[in-house]
Amino acid sequence: MGAAWLIAALTLVSRLLGLLREYIFSYYFGTGELLSAFRIAFQAPNLARRLFGEGALSSAMIPVLTRSIQERGEESSRRFVGTLLTILFAGLCTAVIAIELAIGMWRFAHDDPALQLTGLMMPYMVLICTSAVASGVLNVRGHFGVPAAAPTILNVVMIIALVGGARGLGLDDGPLMQLQCWSVLIAGVIQLFATGVALQLAGFFPLFGGTWRDPQLRAVFALMAPMALGLSAVQINTLMDSLIAYLFVIDEHGERVGTAVLGYAQFLYQLPLGVFGISLATAIFPVLSAKYAAGDRLGMGEVFERGVRTGQFIALPSAVGLAFIATPLVATLYQHGGEFDASSTARVAPTLVYYALGIPAYFLQHVVIRAFYALHDSRTPARIAAIMVALNLAGNLVLVFVMEERGLALSTSVCATIQVVWLAVRLRKPFPEIPWLRIGGGVGRMALAAAAMALALLAVKIGGEWLHWHKTVRLVSLLVTGVAMYGLAAFALRIDELRAVLRRT
């Protein structure tokens, strides 16, 4: 799991910079309609990244490329990658042109800030998707550093643009947000260049000019189509959440605040998921694929077990902790005299609690789906994901009128939990080597440790409210208590994953 820890460390740096970016957003834009429009615009190319980049296409390519290197050698495999990237780049450019034309016609009929910013940012889709697939190639070659560091580039460029535009150029509102969109495009160019340099240094730069009739390409696209839905269900649900919030959640001043509120909550619940969950799944997927190609199914089961148990060791306390610290966390991070006030905290914190309920499911989902893909079964996750996307849409349209943005978060968490349980049940037949009893025993002990943590946090929370502690004091007290109690309980219950963490620290 060394690669997982490397990815997690680099991702942590990126997430901390992302936290700074979100703070700057909160100061200048609060939960206003302009930030809601930006979040819609930013999610559109990032959904494409999940569909065609690091999600479906990259995941479909990894097992095929692993087998190609073993069977055909490096030169043929580099030519295969070059042809794949050529097809991807041409297809994405065509898609962007079509989308830009559609946005232009839509704006002619009814203009909207979200449409304006989406049109400006759509070319980022070409850059980030191409870079994501190239990062998948690096992962197959055992190079995880540059792909994991790529989001840091985005955050650094966005922060420079925000601060430089506001303080240096004196920009406000609309012009500042347009500069932010341009900064995303600049970051995309830098990310693509850095990935290309890393491929060159790894000795696996793509060879272009290969045949489009390569059977390996057909294998990738055959796997990719259902993978696009299976791996991206959470992102599709998140985009639906944002669109529904933008249309139906309006505050007392007539501002479309729902998407801005969801964005703050989504970033915070995705902190543990991005740092540990996705990093873990990214690291074990090439290993699962390599063991499957070598016929080592028992080894696959062991890797799967470590992935699930390590993920839940982080996910369970993360969910409990975020549920208890949501209000002081949001207030401490964002409420500092800018546009983000107490009313904004009152909207973001409960939404974060409902998203936090699904964290264990989000962690497990990434590992389980990649197990299906390592087995070359992309249809089962796709069918289940299609049903869950429809169910989430129905839940959104009901709950948004009852609970506003909180209902959208709750629907997403419930659907993610149902989806991962369904997937795990379906995985038992094609993958009987998974030691479910051992996994259940280990995760059960983690749940007991998380329950002990919850009781301790409840006592501190009640005490802090009774003594009227400052929000920062409450936050620090809850964090220290939660970490200490979970660690002590894990030690008492002899949870193996605690020893693994201690060995690396």
Side-chain angles (χ1 to χ4, degrees):
M1 294 296 170
W5 287 105
L6 171 64
I7 297 171
L10 293 171
T11 304
L12 177 60
V13 174
S14 171
R15 294 289 172 160
L16 290 174
L17 288 169
L19 187 59
L20 176 59
R21 179 200 70 209
E22 290 295 301
Y23 165 72
I24 299 171
F25 274 147
S26 71
Y27 186 84
Y28 288 112
F29 301 107
T31 53
E33 185 169 328
L34 191 58
L35 183 59
S36 290
F38 174 81
R39 296 213 190 273
I40 293 286
F42 189 61
Q43 282 182 1
N46 276 282
L47 176 61
R49 180 195 68 186
R50 296 298 300 166
L51 289 170
F52 305 111
E54 68 186 26
L57 183 54
S58 183
S59 295
M61 177 201 65
I62 285 174
V64 176
L65 179 58
T66 301
R67 188 172 62 248
S68 176
I69 293 172
Q70 293 175 352
E71 296 177 354
R72 304 197 306 176
E74 291 198 359
E75 183 173 348
S76 294
S77 299
R78 289 169 61 196
R79 201 169 300 280
F80 151 65
V81 171
T83 306
L84 179 64
L85 289 174
T86 300
I87 295 173
L88 174 67
F89 187 83
L92 289 172
C93 287
T94 303
V96 166
I97 293 171
I99 293 170
E100 294 286 10
L101 290 173
I103 289 175
M105 290 186 289
W106 196 346
R107 289 184 60 187
F108 182 78
H110 175 71
D111 205 0
D112 182 272
L115 290 173
Q116 296 172 14
L117 298 181
T118 301
L120 181 57
M121 214 181 304
M122 279 312 299
Y124 182 62
M125 181 174 77
V126 179
L127 301 169
I128 191 60
C129 290
T130 306
S131 177
V133 172
S135 295
V137 177
L138 285 170
N139 290 342
V140 171
R141 302 300 294 165
H143 296 270
F144 297 93
V146 171
T152 299
I153 297 171
L154 175 65
N155 285 322
V156 168
V157 175
M158 290 178 72
I159 289 169
I160 292 173
L162 277 170
V163 176
R167 296 291 180 88
L169 301 178
L171 301 179
D172 191 21
D173 295 340
L176 181 59
M177 193 58 84
Q178 288 188 356
L179 177 62
Q180 183 68 169
C181 292
W182 281 108
S183 75
V184 172
L185 298 179
I186 294 170
V189 173
I190 299 173
Q191 286 172 316
L192 185 58
F193 177 77
T195 308
V197 171
L199 283 171
Q200 181 67 40
L201 293 175
F204 207 83
F205 195 82
L207 296 175
F208 298 97
T211 175
W212 292 42
R213 299 180 182 274
D214 190 334
Q216 303 283 8
L217 289 173
R218 290 197 296 271
V220 168
F221 290 117
L223 284 172
M224 175 193 161
M227 275 185 176
L229 184 56
L231 260 182
S232 305
V234 171
Q235 285 70 32
I236 293 171
N237 287 339
T238 298
L239 181 58
M240 287 197 308
D241 290 353
S242 299
L243 290 172
I244 292 172
Y246 191 77
L247 293 173
F248 297 114
V249 180
I250 301 173
D251 69 1
E252 62 274 13
H253 304 296
E255 289 270 318
R256 299 180 184 272
V257 300
T259 307
V261 170
L262 287 177
Y264 290 116
Q266 288 165 356
F267 178 83
L268 291 176
Y269 94 78
Q270 289 173 357
L271 267 175
L273 178 64
V275 173
F276 297 105
I278 296 176
S279 302
L280 181 66
T282 300
I284 70 170
F285 185 38
V287 182
L288 286 170
S289 298
K291 288 189 176 295
Y292 179 79
D296 184 9
R297 293 178 65 92
L298 287 176
M300 286 182 68
E302 292 173 359
V303 172
F304 180 86
E305 178 189 4
R306 290 201 304 272
V308 171
R309 291 180 54 157
T310 302
Q312 293 307 299
F313 181 73
I314 303 297
L316 289 168
S318 296
V320 172
L322 280 177
F324 277 94
I325 70 172
T327 298
L329 177 64
V330 171
T332 300
L333 291 177
Y334 300 135
Q335 196 177 319
H336 293 286
E339 295 296 320
F340 196 102
D341 55 19
S343 64
S344 299
T345 297
R347 299 190 79 114
V348 174
T351 305
L352 174 58
V353 172
Y354 285 111
Y355 270 131
L357 297 176
I359 288 177
Y362 306 142
F363 268 71
L364 184 56
Q365 186 183 74
H366 281 279
V367 178
V368 172
I369 288 178
R370 281 171 172 81
F372 274 103
Y373 295 163
L375 295 169
H376 292 200
D377 177 7
S378 56
R379 296 185 180 277
T380 299
R383 286 194 293 266
I384 293 174
I387 295 171
M388 299 317 302
V389 167
L391 181 61
N392 183 61
L393 177 60
N396 282 346
L397 293 174
V398 171
L399 293 175
V400 70
F401 297 107
V402 180
M403 302 170 64
E404 295 187 314
E405 60 272 346
R406 292 166 296 163
L408 302 176
L410 177 60
S411 178
T412 296
S413 292
V414 170
C415 289
T417 303
I418 295 172
Q419 181 182 6
V420 79
V421 171
W422 193 353
L423 284 167
V425 171
R426 291 295 299 272
L427 187 60
R428 292 172 65 93
K429 185 176 180 180
F431 199 175
E433 293 82 5
I434 297 177
W436 287 109
L437 288 178
R438 276 207 314 267
I439 291 174
V443 173
R445 291 197 299 274
M446 295 171 199
L448 288 175
M453 172 185 172
L455 291 174
L457 289 175
L458 179 61
V460 173
K461 184 175 184 293
I462 293 172
E465 292 174 351
W466 183 61
L467 294 172
H468 302 289
W469 287 346
H470 186 269
K471 61 186 180 183
T472 306
V473 175
R474 278 194 291 159
L475 175 61
V476 172
S477 300
L478 288 166
L479 284 172
V480 172
T481 300
V483 172
M485 179 54 70
Y486 187 71
L488 288 172
F491 179 79
L493 293 167
R494 299 183 178 181
I495 295 175
D496 294 337
E497 285 66 27
L498 176 64
R499 290 198 293 269
V501 170
L502 294 175
R503 282 197 298 268
R504 291 188 174 275
T505 56

